[in-house]
Amino acid sequence: MEDFVKYNWTKINDQEHIAKSAILFEEMNRRRSIRGFSDDPVPKEALINAIRTASTAPSGANKQPWTFCLISSPEIKREIRIAAEEEEKLNYGQRMSEEWLEDLKQFRTNWQKPFLEIAPYLIVVFKKVYDNDGEGKKTNYYVNESVGLATGFLLMCLHQIGLYTLTHTPSPMKFLTKILNRPENERPFLLIPVGYPEKDHEVPDIKRKETDEILVEYP
Ligand code: IYR
């Protein structure tokens, strides 16, 4: 039986809610995925704090069914680049539909992924489809939702602390399990290069949906 403890929460006033929400929106609305990184170093301690923040996300039955791999080894980054490019060559050359390729044109992506070696860090998020603590298999619940939430926390945190990211899925990503030597119960969820944009980096001029396209109110 788990204990319950008093929750120390605080109430702020409506003006503060509104002011904080407006600032946060402006900040997050400036976030952009980047695909050209510089090799400028970033402080590892900040990344570890960001990962700890990600791990505060809610999860099914609080199972926290995730592992974050933090990679700075040039050898491992190189291995990941080579394997990712192999998959992406097949994706762009034969696996992706015409519609998909058309949808991606605006991002000017291709199979080449030099940023996987250039970015100072790669974070690979793994989901634990079940837990394996040595005493046998234990069930995890809502694994995709939970790991998606933790990854969202991570991306938001990294942006808030002034670091830049890409959500990268060189699928199928099974090669990451192998290169990073992860156990059988872990599956790659997302590959996130972290660092700073390269000099004069350009991003596509994307438009975000208007509020009335994403929000339905029931007053
Ligand atoms: N994984 C490929 C293709 C790709 C797919 C989607 I959906 C994107 O939003 C962007 C790219 C790549 O990274 O190039």
Side-chain angles (χ1 to χ4, degrees):
M1 188 59 152
E2 291 296 327
D3 286 337
F4 262 52
V5 289
K6 184 173 153 65
Y7 181 33
N8 268 321
W9 63 282
T10 51
K11 187 169 193 323
I12 59 175
N13 68 40
D14 286 4
Q15 279 319 307
E16 285 178 291
H17 286 308
I18 294 165
K20 278 173 183 274
S21 65
I23 288 167
L24 199 51
F25 170 69
E26 291 302 333
E27 285 177 3
M28 292 314 297
N29 197 28
R30 289 178 51 78
R31 185 195 169 276
R32 296 299 310 271
S33 288
I34 62 157
R35 296 185 170 81
F37 284 82
S38 90
D39 62 1
D40 283 1
V42 305
K44 186 169 87 167
E45 192 177 340
L47 293 184
I48 291 174
N49 280 336
I51 288 167
R52 293 169 71 212
T53 305
S55 198
T56 67
S59 62
N62 190 35
K63 295 280 189 166
Q64 302 165 64
W66 44 65
T67 300
F68 297 89
C69 294
L70 180 60
I71 301 143
S72 56
S73 152
E75 292 77 28
I76 297 176
K77 286 196 290 183
R78 181 160 182 74
E79 257 190 276
I80 290 174
R81 176 190 176 174
I82 290 167
E85 286 184 334
E86 245 168 65
E87 294 299 346
E88 295 292 26
K89 250 185 216 166
L90 293 170
N91 289 336
Y92 281 88
Q94 37 188 294
R95 289 187 189 134
M96 279 152 48
S97 64
E98 279 306 315
E99 182 187 8
W100 195 346
L101 291 170
E102 190 59 36
D103 280 339
L104 290 186
K105 266 198 183 137
Q106 57 178 316
F107 304 104
R108 297 190 194 157
T109 56
N110 60 41
W111 64 268
Q112 289 171 303
K113 306 297 173 191
F115 54 77
L116 291 174
E117 277 191 89
I118 298 168
Y121 281 98
L122 304 177
I123 298 175
V124 181
V125 185
F126 283 86
K127 64 179 184 187
K128 294 182 168 180
V129 288
Y130 57 90
D131 256 318
N132 206 346
D133 56 9
E135 288 166 31
K137 293 186 181 184
K138 298 259 172 63
T139 311
N140 287 333
Y141 310 95
Y142 301 103
V143 169
N144 284 318
E145 292 84 347
S146 301
V147 180
L149 287 163
T151 304
F153 277 35
L154 179 63
L155 293 173
M156 185 151 175
C157 183
L158 290 168
H159 180 74
Q160 288 286 318
I161 67 175
L163 296 173
Y164 296 81
T165 55
L166 173 67
T167 51
H168 186 36
T169 50
S171 306
M173 300 198 289
K174 193 95 187 113
F175 65 87
L176 292 168
T177 311
K178 211 171 155 214
I179 292 172
L180 300 172
N181 200 21
R182 299 313 304 159
E184 204 287 316
N185 60 320
E186 294 189 11
R187 306 291 149 77
F189 185 78
L190 197 61
L191 170 50
I192 308 170
V194 187
Y196 301 103
E198 68 191 354
K199 195 171 172 301
D200 300 324
H201 185 53
E202 293 188 350
V203 293
D205 189 16
I206 54 157
K207 302 281 175 287
R208 293 205 155 101
K209 287 183 178 176
E210 296 298 332
T211 308
D212 67 0
E213 296 176 275
I214 59 148
L215 169 67
V216 185
E217 293 192 63
Y218 300 83

